[in-house]
């Protein structure tokens, strides 16, 4: 890779020189601003400009999958950034090259190009409705009925690629995003795909809570070794909602050992969480760096177009016809996540069949009026917000509302005050009262501070987005 610096790059005709490395760094700086952090690190990790001749740029990438995405999805971003520095750039191509040796967690080279993920238009014939007992997989969750939208396409592509290159491409694969956005569906799709294509493969889907419980049971019955050897035999281990391992030192320790054993055997590990590894409090540093050494992809909230597509697919899957106008109304009003969207559809179906009526727009408005307002307000009160913030930051509720000034409490408390104001329109004296009888100026200050910081601090903004999702996903 050091050789790269020998390829000198003529930045402009006036003779200023920029190395390929410098040029790529500048390009990455641009691109980083236009796409999400997770996507950026997923697709641009271990890339470099390998050569530049007459405006033809060759970019080295670690695998066929990255090649696919850089040459298609991200080409316009890359070209735009390159041309803003050097307008004579004509085109880019990618080649697969070996990543740095010094990085033990980087993907091995020489992998065949992953097949481009395809959205199958036909409707899935469900494998069967039963549960695969050994793997804990639900056969309902397959790639074929997962609707691709801008919010999930990269996470979906990463999962699909992993299912085609088990253990060899991205290990571990870490998918994160808020509740009801399709993490479990995607994770299980990998498992179902594997079982279908090679039934001899050993697949295990579990949640971090189940994993913890099993560990505790095995300790009680003095069967820890059995527990460990069971988990070390899998070709694919999927652990859902890893954030619940937070603070559980003993479980994290066991998981770390199992992780390493599987990793060294090139066995695939797939993990999900409601937030990126960095944002999971009390996650052991060594586990965090393991997670970050693999591939991280996020799922965000679906936009209107995706919500519409999902509704259309789900209603036709259920052979329940909805007029476009009705679909639009639902998609515009049920916005938080896909679970909520499915819930709305199920409710409409149930009501219409019960009353033997057709889902007219008036009928649907009526049926959903409660859901729509309830997901906005009902049940969400100050106590719910305070509880959610405490859980999120893993602090005691009583500490959050106390007058204590411990450093780790101050920011969560300001966020809680901010949310009381913004979401519930609490008065400042009212907020002060909830937090140990503080003066209203403290509440005002907290609100204004967070309001200002939210625009400047990416992490704070993400935290608050996640909190909002949690608060409204009662
Ligand atoms: P999470 O694990 O992120 O909380 P789930 O995977 O449980 O979310 O998704 C909630 C529901 O929404 C599931 O029934 C799932 O099948 C459905 N769902 C989520 N995303 C999609 C999608 N893109 N296409 C089709 N169904 C989806
Ligand atoms: Mg889930």
């Amino acid at each position: 890779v050091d050789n790269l610096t020998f390829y000198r790059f003529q930045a402009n005709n006036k003779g200023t020189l920029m190395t390929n490395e410098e040029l790529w760094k500048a390009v990455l700086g641009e691109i980083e601003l236009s796409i999400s952090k997770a996507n950026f690190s997923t697709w641009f990790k271990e890339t470099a400009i390998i050569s530049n001749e007459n405006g033809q740029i060759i970019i080295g990438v670690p695998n066929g999958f990255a090649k696919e995405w850089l040459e298609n999805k991200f080409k316009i971003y890359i070209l735009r950034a390159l041309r803003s520095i050097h307008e004579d750039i004509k085109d880019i191509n990618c080649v697969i090259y070996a990543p740095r040796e010094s990085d033990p967690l980087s993907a091995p080279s020489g992998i065949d190009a992953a097949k481009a993920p395809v959205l199958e238009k036909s409707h899935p014939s469900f494998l069967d409705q039963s549960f695969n007992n050994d793997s804990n997989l639900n056969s309902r969750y397959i790639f074929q009925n997962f609707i691709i939208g801008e919010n999930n396409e990269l996470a979906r592509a990463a999962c699909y690629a992993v299912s085609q290159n088990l253990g060899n491409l991205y290990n571990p694969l870490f998918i994160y995003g808020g509740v009801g956005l399709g993490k479990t569906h995607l994770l299980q799709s990998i498992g179902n795909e594997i079982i279908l294509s090679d039934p001899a493969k050993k697949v295990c889907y579990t949640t971090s809570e189940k994993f913890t419980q099993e560990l505790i049971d095995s300790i009680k019955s003095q069967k820890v070794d059995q527990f460990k050897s069971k988990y070390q035999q899998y070709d694919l281990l999927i652990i859902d909602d890893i954030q619940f391992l937070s603070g559980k030192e003993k479980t994290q320790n066991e998981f770390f050992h199992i992780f390493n054993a599987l990793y060294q055997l090139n066995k695939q590990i797939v993990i999900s969480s409601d937030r990126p590894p960095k944002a999971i409090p009390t996650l052991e540093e060594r586990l965090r760096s393991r997670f970050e050494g693999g591939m991280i992809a996020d799922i965000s909230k679906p936009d209107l177009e995706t919500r519409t597509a999902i509704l259309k697919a789900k209603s036709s899957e259920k052979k329940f016809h909805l007029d476009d106008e009705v679909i639009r109304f639902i998609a515009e009003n049920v916005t938080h996540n896909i679970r909520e969207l499915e819930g709305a559809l199920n409710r409409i179906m149930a009501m219409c069949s019960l009353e033997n009526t057709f889902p007219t727009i008036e009928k649907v408005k009526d049926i959903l009026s409660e859901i729509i307002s309830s997901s906005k307000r009902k049940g969400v009160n100050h106590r719910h917000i305070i509880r959610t913030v405490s859980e999120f930051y893993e602090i005691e509720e009583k500490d959050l509302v106390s007058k204590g000034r411990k450093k780790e409490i101050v920011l969560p408390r300001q966020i809680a005050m901010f949310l009381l104001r913004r979401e519930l329109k609490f008065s400042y004296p009212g907020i002060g009262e909830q937090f140990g009888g503080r003066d209203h100026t403290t509440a005002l200050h907290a609100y204004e501070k967070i309001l200002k910081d939210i625009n400047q601090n990416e992490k704070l903004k993400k935290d608050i987005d996640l909190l909002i999702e949690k608060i409204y996903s009662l």
Side-chain angles (χ1 to χ4, degrees), residues 169-184:
L169 192 57
Y170 299 137
N171 211 6
L173 172 63
F174 191 103
I175 302 288
Y176 75 88
V179 280
L181 296 180
K183 299 184 298 295
T184 298

Side-chain angles (χ1 to χ4, degrees), residues 327-343:
I327 297 235
R328 194 175 337 115
F329 175 79
I330 306 171
E332 274 169 357
N333 286 285
V334 182
T335 58
H336 286 116
N337 62 53
I338 293 157
R339 189 171 300 148
E340 198 184 67
L341 212 54
E342 280 190 328

Side-chain angles (χ1 to χ4, degrees), residues 437-454:
R438 282 183 161 73
D439 192 71
H440 74 277
T441 53
T442 310
L444 175 66
H445 169 74
Y447 176 76
E448 288 184 337
K449 175 171 181 300
I450 299 294
L451 194 63
K452 181 166 130 278
D453 289 356
I454 226 173

Side-chain angles (χ1 to χ4, degrees), residues 136-138 141 184-192 205 238:
N136 289 324
L137 289 170
N138 183 334
Y141 296 126
T184 298
H185 190 135
L186 272 182
L187 259 60
Q188 294 216 14
S189 297
I190 303 176
N192 281 318
Y205 167 88
I238 303 169

